[in-house]
Amino acid sequence: MSSKKQNILLLGGGGRECAIAWKLKNSEQCGNLYLSPGNAGTREHGTNLPISVGDFAGIKSACLEHSIDILFVGPEDPLVAGIWDFVKGDEALKHIIVVGPSKEGAQLEGSKAFSKKFMERHNIPTAAYREFTADNYAEGEEYIKKHSLPVVLKADGLAAGKGVVIAESTGEAIEAYRAMIQDRQFGDASSKVVIEQFLTGIELSVFAFTDGSNYVLLPEAKDYKRIGEGDTGLNTGGMGAISPVPFADKTFMGKVISRIVEPTINGLKAEKITYQGFIFFGLIKVNGEPYVIEYNCRMGDPETEVVMPRLVNDLVDMILKMQEGKLNEVTVQHSKQAAGTVMLVSGGYPGDYAKGKVMTGMDKTSGSLLFHAGTAVKGDDVVTSGGRVLAVTSYGDNIKSALAKSYENAALINYEGVYYRKDIGWEFETPNP
Ligand code: AMP
Ligand code: GLY
């Protein structure tokens, strides 16, 4: 174990980064912690720097000024834009440990077509698909006409979570296809479109942390993406999460490891794709069998708000082991306690919503962890500054008791338009094992 304290710069400013900052600060080996840009909550754990995650020159200056040892990349955009390659290609920065893959590795998330081809090459179970561009546009229309319904269309590139359409009719699918390719709805991100089979099942999120050859699995989680209770209404960034996931039993997780996690990590290694960091497997369980819906090259949000609290190990130590290629020496311990998080959002979200609403009541809560997402400081106040505002996480002997605590505290927090789902974890009434 290294004795030198590590100065860390954590990129991002959401609930995920607030939870990661909390976890890093729990480590004896964490030196100075900086966040760029952070939010009102991350001030409790470190120093916020007003630098956006895409400002590589600003990030470089901050790394040098603050003698950064570890650059921890929270969101996908800087990874897909090549922050790893930027750091490793710069004489003054290349000694810095980057938590996150190379630009090529980030293609697992940055290009749906890349990830589908990768899965095909390595025999990793996923929905059947074809990809289309302007060059074979008409063929795509014919493919849609013959496809079973619903049919799934995905913009190839990053589209801020809006690039997936599940079309219930052929007409709707063709319209979405036209908008993506001909109207360039998402710019270059939709110049290529993946059309795939709809899978029916129950989703979960599995997280591996890899040094490029070895890996450890973090606690799995389930998030609740829809705005409305009973999983209805529009998709959001995530309205809550639970961990562990009751249906991710030993048999199922065994299949996930042997058919998905290991072939992915071995595939990256065999293809010489540099990858040190998190792989988020967005999975679906169909008749007991796991399939990949998507890969992400980072942790999930709000999953991180339950995964980090359930990770017993020292995260800085794990990062140092990652750097040395020695994650095989780490035995991950998952807390026996369950965790549940409830996301408080702005009224109107995921549509238009107001910002700058003064938040009150956070000081009245007890027994929960408050992970800020879209919050900012205004004078002496903490105000809302985003759609997803605050994650209230609690531990419990089971999912239900964890969530009961989160709901008790969520009810004490107020701002104009506050909304949260009252039914996170609703399908798991029985205590988890
Ligand atoms: P993605 O951005 O690929 O994760 O897709 C967003 C959401 O769309 C997923 O979390 C699923 O709920 C849904 N989805 C994506 N692909 C499929 C599929 N092939 N079958 C069923 N649902 C899907
Ligand atoms: N919760 C899903 C995601 O982070 O993409």
Side-chain angles (χ1 to χ4, degrees):
M1 194 177 278
S2 158
S3 53
K4 178 183 173 291
K5 285 194 185 281
Q6 304 290 312
N7 292 332
I8 305 175
L9 175 58
L10 170 56
L11 299 188
R16 167 181 51 212
E17 287 75 26
C18 197
I20 293 169
W22 167 83
K23 181 69 181 163
L24 290 169
K25 260 298 171 192
N26 275 334
S27 167
E28 290 276 317
Q29 297 180 80
C30 185
N32 296 329
L33 175 62
Y34 300 90
L35 291 105
S36 54
N39 59 39
T42 60
R43 291 176 307 164
E44 254 183 66
H45 314 298
T47 306
N48 290 345
L49 305 173
I51 304 166
S52 73
V53 299
D55 176 6
F56 288 8
I59 292 166
K60 173 174 177 175
S61 304
C63 285
L64 297 176
E65 185 182 343
H66 301 293
S67 305
I68 294 302
D69 302 299
I70 298 173
L71 179 66
F72 192 130
V73 189
E76 64 277 17
D77 299 77
L79 291 166
V80 172
I83 186 98
W84 185 94
D85 307 68
F86 173 78
V87 170
K88 297 299 170 184
D90 188 306
E91 279 304 315
L93 300 179
K94 67 182 189 191
H95 63 283
I96 294 175
I97 301 172
V98 179
V99 181
S102 64
K103 185 172 184 173
E104 199 184 6
Q107 288 295 293
L108 279 187
E109 175 166 4
S111 165
K112 301 277 188 200
F114 176 94
S115 73
K116 293 299 272 191
K117 279 190 214 121
F118 179 88
M119 286 185 266
E120 214 167 40
R121 282 197 296 278
H122 299 286
N123 262 319
I124 295 168
T126 187
Y129 82 105
R130 289 273 310 272
E131 59 179 81
F132 299 95
T133 62
D135 294 340
N136 57 353
Y137 185 82
E139 215 182 306
E141 272 190 346
E142 290 312 308
Y143 186 74
I144 290 172
K145 284 180 193 158
K146 292 193 196 111
H147 203 289
S148 57
L149 292 169
V151 56
V152 183
L153 286 89
K154 298 184 175 183
D156 177 53
L158 294 183
K162 298 192 169 68
V164 175
V165 173
I166 297 174
E168 301 287 344
S169 71
T170 304
E172 190 192 336
I174 287 179
E175 179 49 32
Y177 177 66
R178 192 192 56 70
M180 286 191 195
I181 293 192
Q182 294 194 334
D183 298 350
R184 299 177 55 76
Q185 188 181 8
F186 302 108
D188 282 347
S190 65
S191 59
K192 193 182 278 177
V193 171
V194 163
I195 299 179
E196 71 177 33
Q197 171 200 14
F198 179 81
L199 298 174
T200 304
I202 183 157
E203 290 179 60
L204 78 160
S205 308
V206 168
F207 303 95
F209 185 55
T210 182
D211 61 20
S213 336
N214 309 291
Y215 71 93
V216 291
L217 281 191
L218 305 182
E220 77 286 354
K222 179 180 193 309
D223 82 342
Y224 292 78
K225 290 188 201 301
R226 303 293 195 96
I227 188 71
E229 284 160 19
D231 288 338
T232 54
L234 293 175
N235 252 324
T236 70
M239 296 297 291
I242 57 158
S243 178
V245 178
F247 62 83
D249 54 31
K250 249 195 154 137
T251 312
F252 179 73
M253 288 307 287
K255 293 178 187 173
V256 169
I257 289 169
S258 64
R259 297 180 196 169
I260 294 171
V261 176
E262 293 187 345
T264 300
I265 290 167
N266 294 339
L268 289 167
K269 192 177 175 191
E271 295 188 25
K272 299 193 168 28
I273 296 174
T274 302
Y275 204 117
Q276 287 199 320
F278 297 96
I279 309 179
F280 168 162
F281 300 86
L283 305 181
I284 187 164
K285 184 179 185 180
V286 182
N287 298 324
E289 310 300 328
Y291 291 81
V292 177
I293 291 272
E294 63 163 351
Y295 286 116
N296 294 309
C297 60
R298 45 148 180 108
M299 286 297 292
D301 195 350
E303 290 97 328
T304 304
E305 289 92 306
V306 290
V307 172
M308 286 301 156
R310 289 197 65 237
L311 176 66
V312 176
N313 302 58
D314 180 316
L315 185 56
V316 178
D317 188 46
M318 284 172 57
I319 293 168
L320 297 175
K321 285 286 195 302
M322 173 202 84
Q323 163 76 0
E324 294 169 28
K326 290 186 179 163
L327 276 177
N328 53 319
E329 294 178 4
V330 172
T331 306
V332 162
Q333 254 185 292
H334 301 181
S335 167
K336 290 205 166 39
Q337 295 250 287
T341 197
V342 175
M343 188 63 83
L344 276 54
V345 305
S346 295
Y349 173 80
D352 292 338
Y353 56 85
K355 295 182 185 177
K357 301 297 178 191
V358 175
M359 299 174 66
T360 58
M362 289 177 293
D363 54 341
K364 295 196 180 69
T365 63
S366 65
S368 290
L369 295 160
L370 303 185
F371 295 129
H372 288 229
T375 68
V377 181
K378 193 173 172 193
D380 291 337
D381 291 324
V382 172
V383 298
T384 64
S385 69
R388 291 192 295 169
V389 174
L390 183 87
V392 182
T393 297
S394 314
Y395 293 103
D397 291 337
N398 54 55
I399 289 162
K400 212 175 160 184
S401 64
L403 287 163
K405 176 55 84 181
S406 289
Y407 280 121
E408 199 182 298
N409 283 317
L412 301 173
I413 299 168
N414 206 9
Y415 50 86
E416 196 185 315
V418 60
Y419 169 77
Y420 54 92
R421 269 179 66 168
K422 310 289 186 302
D423 67 341
I424 302 303
W426 58 277
E427 70 277 55
F428 305 117
E429 285 299 306
T430 48
N432 55 290

